[in-house]
Amino acid sequence: QVQLVESGGDLVQPGGSLWLSCTASGFRFEDYAMSWVRQAPGKGLEWVATISSGGGTDIYNWSVKDRFTISRENAKNLLWLQMTRLSPDDAGVYFCQKHIGEGMERSDWSRRPGSRGQGTQVRVSS
């Protein structure tokens, strides 16, 4: 079955950096676009970034553009999110999200079981 496991969340000071990773299993990872999404306390799910199945195209929420980088290593079924210049507004639980195929729109997010991991928590505080 599809499984996504995120890791790397931590407490970091404002201006700091973090690397998040997501290990995928149960599907042919290289065939699917992937996203990172996040949820701040008391708020809804927010899209962060998406990467194409082959890794050649990436798109970002304006709020993280030029600070975050999404990447993937298909040979190892790994998805990453490099986060720099973190601010308290970036705090929340970060999830990796599988798409239904190569489509990169939010409407292409898979709703099947396991298509979003359990998340990893990022806290930004001095």
Side-chain angles (χ1 to χ4, degrees), residues 50-122:
T50 300
I51 188 167
S52 62
S53 57
T57 301
D58 50 0
I59 52 176
Y60 299 89
N61 185 308
W62 67 270
S63 66
V64 307
K65 190 172 174 57
D66 298 327
R67 298 189 299 120
F68 290 12
T69 303
I70 187 172
S71 60
R72 64 192 296 164
E73 185 169 353
N74 284 346
K76 296 184 178 181
N77 288 3
L78 289 172
L79 178 74
W80 289 287
L81 185 68
Q82 181 184 12
M83 305 189 293
T84 65
R85 291 183 279 139
L86 284 160
S87 78
D89 289 341
D90 295 315
V93 180
Y94 283 69
F95 304 89
C96 56
Q97 170 71 54
K98 176 182 175 292
H99 287 224
I100 58 175
E102 295 182 347
M104 296 179 66
E105 300 294 326
R106 179 166 181 153
S107 58
D108 295 311
W109 294 0
S110 174
R111 292 176 174 81
R112 298 177 70 89
S115 293
R116 185 180 303 150
Q118 294 301 306
T120 187
Q121 185 156 26
V122 173

Side-chain angles (χ1 to χ4, degrees), residues 1-19:
Q1 68 278 19
V2 173
Q3 188 172 23
L4 299 167
V5 179
E6 302 92 340
S7 62
D10 205 346
L11 171 64
V12 63
Q13 291 187 343
S17 300
L18 274 178
W19 273 89

Side-chain angles (χ1 to χ4, degrees), residues 8-60:
D10 205 346
L11 171 64
V12 63
Q13 291 187 343
S17 300
L18 274 178
W19 273 89
L20 304 184
S21 65
C22 171
T23 302
S25 61
F27 63 103
R28 189 176 166 90
F29 184 67
E30 64 205 66
D31 288 346
Y32 296 86
M34 296 290 296
S35 289
W36 284 98
V37 300
R38 67 187 180 187
Q39 187 165 24
K43 296 188 177 181
L45 206 61
E46 179 184 35
W47 168 70
V48 175
T50 300
I51 188 167
S52 62
S53 57
T57 301
D58 50 0
I59 52 176
Y60 299 89

